[in-house]
Amino acid sequence: LIAVRARGYSLARVNAETGPGLQPEPIEFGLQPGGAIVEGQVVDASGTGVQGALIFAGALPRNAEFQATLSNARTDEAGTFSIEGLPPGPIDLSAAHSKKGIGFVSGELTLEKPTQLTIVLNSTGGIEGTILRDGNPVSGATISVEMDSGGSGKAQTDESGYYVIKGLLQGT
C-alpha cells in the first residue's frame, strides 16, 4: 500500500505489488481537492493539554524509533492539533507522549466542517527484570515488547542481566 498526502488534498492510496521479476509500472494517484479535517486536543488525566504529543491517524506504529517520522501531527503548547486532507468516514486516532503516556479516540469525519476530538492520555508503566542463564546474568540480551495497542518497547541487559522498559500502557 502506497499513500500520498498533500496539503489541501484528500489522502490517496494505491495498492502496488513488488517482487522479483516484476517490471516497474507508473503509479497514478488521484488526489482530490479538499478532504476532511480533524482538530482537537491531547490532554492528560487531569484535563491539562499536553505539548509535544505525536498524533497518528490509525494505530501507534509498533516501532517506537520511527514514531516521530510516521506521525500525522504534533501538539502545540496547548496540546492542540489539526490534520487535513483525510478521507471522510470513521477514523481512529492515537497519540503518544514519551512521559505522559498514550491514548486513543474514534470519531466520524465529514467534509462539511472539522471534526473535534479529544484524546486522553493514559499513564504508562513499565517492566523490569533480570535475565539469567543457569543462574548467571546474561549481559547484552535484547528484550522487546509489542503491545496490542500498537506501542512497543525495547531494552538491553546490563552486565548484571538487569533491564528496564518504560512507557508501556498499563494492563497490557
Side-chain angles (χ1 to χ4, degrees), residues 35-38 86-91 107-116:
I37 299 170
V38 61
L86 297 168
I91 188 166
E108 186 75 23
L109 301 180
T110 67
L111 296 174
E112 290 76 37
K113 64 179 184 171
T115 299
Q116 300 290 322

Side-chain angles (χ1 to χ4, degrees), residues 84-165:
E84 299 178 8
L86 297 168
I91 188 166
D92 294 319
L93 291 181
S94 52
H97 188 275
S98 61
K99 295 188 172 114
K100 301 279 187 169
I102 59 178
F104 310 91
V105 69
S106 295
E108 186 75 23
L109 301 180
T110 67
L111 296 174
E112 290 76 37
K113 64 179 184 171
T115 299
Q116 300 290 322
L117 295 174
T118 300
I119 304 172
V120 179
L121 298 183
N122 296 301
S123 61
T124 56
I127 59 171
E128 64 181 311
T130 304
I131 304 296
L132 303 172
R133 181 172 184 184
D134 298 325
N136 298 311
V138 177
S139 175
T142 300
I143 294 84
S144 298
V145 175
E146 289 189 10
M147 299 181 294
D148 291 339
S149 63
S152 65
K154 186 188 274 189
Q156 193 164 29
T157 58
D158 62 16
E159 61 281 344
S160 68
Y162 178 76
Y163 69 92
V164 175
I165 300 176

